[in-house]
Amino acid sequence: MFKKILIANRGEIACRVIRTARRMGIATVAVYSDADARAPHVAMADERVRLGPAPASESYLDAELILDACRTTGADAVHPGYGFLSERESFARALAEAGIAFIGPPPEAIAAMGDKIQSKKLAKEAGVNVVPGYLGEIADTDEAVRIASEIGFPVMMKASAGGGGKGMRLAWSEKDVREGFEATKREGLASFGDDRVFIEKFIESPRHIEIQVLGDRHGNVVYLGERECSIQRRHQKVVEEAPSPFVTAKMRRAMGEQAVALARAVGYYSAGTVELIVSGSDPTGESFYFLEMNTRLQVEHPVTEMVTGLDLVEQMIRVAAGEPLGFGQDDVTLTGWSVENRVYAEDPYRGFLPSTGRLVRYRPPPTSDKVRVDDGVVEGGEVSMFYDPMIAKLVTYGDTREEAIDRQIEALDAFLIDGIGHNIDFLSALMQHPRFREGALTTGFIAEEYPEGFAGAPADADLVLDLAIVAALAGYETDRRSCAISGQLSGPVPAPELRVVRIAGAEHRVRFGPYEGGCLAYVDEGEPHDVIGQWRPGQLRFRGAIDGRVRTVAIARQGRKWRLTTRGASHVAEVLPEHVALLSRHMIEKVPPDLSRFLICPMPGLLTALRVSEGEHVEAGQPLAVVEAMKMENILRAEKAGTVRKVNAKPGESLAVDAVILEFE
């Protein structure tokens, strides 16, 4: 067995590998860029080596720096995690030449599966179903248009060396191909150093299902069931679960046997994933097709671990050390259900724009054998613009799918993140969505269910009532604390018992009758509501039950208003004493300024392209600028027709959020 493993990665996956290595009694080495000098994975490891500046190309993607770190520390093995160098054949070969074990598949398998065009040809030869498409090299946009037309729209354009949702464009028409082909080439070149693009038929009502395979150096290969990964945004997975609510035992076996056949065809060992696209409109389940094979550990591997009881990182380490698998296909069983949500640094209320900055507060929910949090951040740390926007992975387990989903909702309510935008409300809304709970999933789920963007999960009458009570309680306890301050003129002033709460377009009158451990809340002089639990000024959450309904509500004060966040949405409630509420109706409403004549940068990022100049007339929807943030290009378009009066930025500049790029007349 290895004595020391270097983890050639960062963030949550580096922490994940370190935890398993430590349990196995293996020393670890962390590598880091300047942006990650105080990151948790650096503190967790036994040794640490600085690689270089923040950009990945000058640190985590520089294979020679990793090799130098191995030589300096005496590491006898490298775990690459996912992303970065994990699927780079040349890196695996360089390690082998240096006598250092690569905890992953053989270089030949990486090469065979890393080229999306070649991998489809190999899959077809191995008897695996493949999607109709054009696997040759495409010279230019005109040829791409011709090929797409011959295949039949819609089609998907993909970077040959792509992965992780990068370098992919869906085209419904010739116009989409002309707009997206060159962008796909650029993303492929920027992210993977390869600008080749292939085109294939887009399967309508598609489900994204993948098979986890595991092989050793002795010719043993097994499949560990499937994962449903259909909930995606911009081809980036958001929710994963195991098993899939769509897959039958017969489908699982057919998919698994094809995945194993492909793995054997390329001499595969270690952990790997065969990704399939499945037609959800075919109830027989026979319409499944090979997409690609990821020759590495997947981000979503924890859901497979939860239902199989296996530690995939441990298995990878043992396989790399030459050990045979300790079990066969008949020993693999799937027990219960597991769901994983990816908590991202992005703002779902602003079109999922990336969010960077300091984690002013970071409090994950309590963990147990049924709630797991894989993260690589810490309160006070920085979410950098240089890397992936993932903050954490929340994984829950249940005996049934419904139980695992309900546990997600509870855990998401207990998650507390402040300082940057995050998608926790959106994830909770997904977990509550009737269609998701029914298992009627496709890769277009988010676009279909949120065509106008996300505005928060809908709240039922009971939730709105409970939030009115929580807001009134927060206002009452805060005023009571203020009135108890000593040294006031004429002595202490009693806090008025009645509170007027304005929430969701309605007004309620609330008063309380306290008792030990809780209180009775009288709303609009109706029957009392039993509130079990207390809240004191300064506490970040209310945890309790109202009429038996368990509530976990994040509370933030905004003057006389309170922002209450729970169950997938934030609700603003105004809480006033009765006499103040009467007078407040006469207050003048402050109208926000008109910003429609500015093109404002919606996120911190790099201005990579500016497509207009001063004096130019633009039409609504016309592309104006491209801002790159967290490895993704974001096209900014004109909201309405107008003429450019002034240009305030130029390509190559780093822009802050809300920076004015253009002014219109």
Side-chain angles (χ1 to χ4, degrees):
M1 183 50 67
F2 305 120
K3 291 183 172 58
K4 187 183 293 185
I5 294 174
L6 182 144
I7 298 94
N9 218 297
R10 63 179 297 280
E12 63 88 12
I13 186 56
C15 295
R16 162 76 185 88
V17 176
I18 290 170
R19 283 192 292 269
T20 288
R22 180 178 293 165
R23 181 173 53 78
M24 296 176 70
I26 303 172
T28 55
V29 179
V31 293
Y32 65 92
S33 71
D34 290 342
D36 284 336
R38 289 177 289 278
H41 77 279
V42 178
M44 284 180 66
D46 298 299
E47 297 177 60
R48 52 209 57 84
V49 176
R50 176 187 176 273
L51 294 178
S57 60
E58 301 176 49
S59 51
Y60 298 106
L61 282 171
D62 191 322
E64 195 56 46
L65 292 176
I66 302 293
L67 286 164
D68 287 344
C70 290
R71 298 184 190 104
T72 301
T73 59
D76 49 355
V78 169
H79 196 300
Y82 49 74
F84 294 137
L85 299 172
S86 62
E87 294 180 282
R88 186 171 292 184
E89 173 204 7
S90 60
F91 179 59
R93 290 192 186 280
L95 287 173
E97 291 169 4
I100 300 166
F102 178 68
I103 303 176
E108 296 79 11
I110 296 175
M113 293 294 99
D115 186 317
K116 300 301 183 288
I117 295 173
Q118 186 64 25
S119 67
K120 288 189 186 307
K121 293 177 180 177
L122 287 169
K124 192 171 183 179
E125 292 171 4
V128 180
N129 304 343
V130 297
V131 180
Y134 183 81
L135 302 181
E137 197 165 337
I138 301 170
D140 53 30
T141 300
D142 288 337
E143 186 180 3
V145 169
R146 179 182 59 77
I147 290 168
S149 299
E150 290 174 357
I151 294 171
F153 293 102
V155 298
M156 182 70 78
M157 297 177 290
K158 296 183 180 181
S160 179
K166 306 295 189 302
M168 299 174 70
R169 290 286 193 286
L170 176 60
W172 292 90
S173 65
E174 177 181 329
K175 178 185 175 186
D176 292 340
V177 176
R178 292 194 179 279
E179 280 192 2
F181 182 73
E182 290 299 328
T184 306
K185 288 173 68 71
R186 285 195 302 271
E187 283 189 10
L189 185 62
S191 298
F192 311 105
D194 186 343
D195 69 350
R196 290 177 302 154
V197 173
F198 69 95
I199 298 177
E200 65 184 13
K201 179 70 175 174
F202 178 69
I203 305 299
E204 297 189 63
S205 298
R207 302 180 78 115
H208 185 119
I209 294 172
E210 56 191 33
I211 302 293
Q212 176 71 60
V213 295
L214 182 66
D216 62 22
R217 292 172 177 260
H218 306 277
N220 303 306
V221 185
V222 298
Y223 63 91
L224 307 179
E226 81 285 351
R227 295 185 287 258
E228 173 88 54
C229 306
S230 296
I231 304 297
Q232 304 178 6
R233 193 187 64 77
R234 292 179 69 174
H235 311 296
Q236 182 76 41
K237 298 167 190 172
V238 178
V239 182
E240 301 99 356
E241 58 183 304
S244 163
F246 184 71
V247 173
T248 63
K250 180 181 177 182
M251 288 174 63
R252 181 176 299 120
R253 181 172 181 175
M255 292 175 174
E257 288 177 350
Q258 285 199 16
V260 168
L262 178 60
R264 291 189 187 281
V266 295
Y268 199 91
Y269 55 77
S270 193
T273 297
V274 176
E275 299 200 351
L276 305 168
I277 189 165
V278 182
S279 174
S281 60
D282 182 1
T284 68
E286 295 177 359
S287 300
F288 63 87
Y289 308 96
F290 173 77
L291 275 178
E292 61 182 342
M293 184 174 188
N294 289 304
T295 55
R296 54 171 168 80
L297 191 67
Q298 290 280 93
V299 177
E300 57 271 23
H301 75 275
V303 293
T304 297
E305 294 183 328
M306 291 289 238
V307 298
T308 61
L310 296 169
D311 183 326
L312 291 181
V313 172
E314 178 182 348
Q315 294 299 321
M316 292 179 74
I317 293 171
R318 294 191 180 281
V319 166
E323 295 184 14
L325 295 180
F327 55 90
Q329 189 63 62
D330 293 341
D331 301 313
V332 177
T333 57
L334 307 182
T335 305
W337 216 284
S338 183
V339 177
E340 173 180 296
N341 273 303
R342 300 189 185 191
V343 180
Y344 282 132
E346 61 185 14
D347 189 346
Y349 295 100
R350 299 180 68 194
F352 297 93
L353 292 172
S355 180
T356 59
R358 188 166 300 283
L359 280 166
V360 177
R361 287 195 180 92
Y362 176 73
R363 314 279 172 85
T367 58
S368 66
D369 60 336
K370 295 182 178 179
V371 178
R372 168 176 167 178
V373 178
D374 283 13
D375 58 18
V377 299
V378 67
E379 187 168 281
E382 193 86 11
V383 175
S384 169
M385 67 179 285
F386 294 101
Y387 311 118
D388 189 274
M390 184 184 292
I391 298 172
K393 300 183 308 195
L394 176 64
V395 189
T396 56
Y397 176 86
D399 293 332
T400 64
R401 184 171 186 263
E402 291 72 22
E403 187 179 319
I405 292 170
D406 288 342
R407 195 160 277 133
Q408 276 283 339
I409 298 170
E410 295 169 8
L412 287 165
D413 275 350
F415 231 122
L416 184 63
I417 298 175
D418 193 14
I420 60 171
H422 56 79
N423 66 338
I424 287 176
D425 283 357
F426 180 64
L427 297 175
S428 182
L430 289 175
M431 296 296 99
Q432 298 172 66
H433 199 290
R435 180 178 157 190
F436 176 81
R437 297 181 75 90
E438 290 167 9
L441 313 179
T442 71
T443 55
F445 181 97
I446 291 175
E448 293 159 8
E449 298 299 327
Y450 302 96
E452 303 301 322
F454 179 69
D460 59 27
D462 285 342
L463 179 56
V464 173
L465 175 66
D466 292 351
L467 291 177
I469 292 172
V470 171
L473 182 64
Y476 174 69
E477 291 292 350
T478 300
D479 287 349
R480 205 159 67 92
R481 169 75 63 85
S482 298
C483 291
I485 294 173
S486 61
Q488 298 189 69
L489 294 175
S490 303
V493 179
E497 289 190 2
L498 184 67
R499 287 293 176 279
V500 175
V501 181
R502 294 168 182 162
I503 185 171
E507 186 172 286
H508 303 281
R509 297 160 63 84
V510 186
R511 63 182 179 86
F512 297 99
Y515 65 80
E516 186 66 31
C519 63
L520 295 176
Y522 298 86
V523 181
D524 300 326
E525 300 304 325
E527 291 296 316
H529 300 273
D530 190 22
V531 182
I532 299 174
Q534 296 177 323
W535 181 87
R536 294 290 180 264
Q539 292 180 345
L540 302 176
R541 291 191 187 93
F542 168 83
R543 287 193 183 96
I546 301 175
D547 293 339
R549 297 183 291 269
V550 177
R551 300 296 189 196
T552 300
V553 184
I555 299 179
R557 187 176 183 181
Q558 299 175 337
R560 278 286 180 180
K561 294 182 179 180
W562 298 86
R563 180 173 291 277
L564 311 173
T565 305
T566 187
R567 298 279 157 162
S570 291
H571 305 263
V572 176
E574 188 175 20
V575 183
L576 304 168
E578 187 175 26
H579 68 286
V580 177
L582 289 171
L583 296 171
S584 70
R585 295 188 177 92
H586 304 290
M587 295 295 290
I588 298 172
E589 185 178 352
K590 185 177 180 180
V591 179
D594 179 18
L595 300 177
S596 64
R597 64 186 188 88
F598 299 104
L599 177 67
I600 295 174
C601 187
M603 79 216 84
L606 181 70
L607 181 64
T608 58
L610 191 62
R611 296 179 175 169
V612 293
S613 55
E614 288 185 11
E616 186 174 338
H617 181 78
V618 300
E619 298 293 339
Q622 179 178 333
L624 303 177
V626 179
V627 176
E628 183 182 300
M630 291 182 169
K631 302 187 289 186
M632 295 293 286
E633 286 188 354
N634 301 274
I635 300 174
L636 307 184
R637 301 177 183 272
E639 292 185 3
K640 59 183 182 180
T643 302
V644 179
R645 188 178 74 85
K646 185 179 180 183
V647 176
N648 294 322
K650 58 185 178 181
E653 287 187 12
S654 293
L655 302 177
V657 64
D658 294 334
V660 176
I661 301 172
L662 301 173
E663 296 180 27
F664 300 96
E665 292 180 355

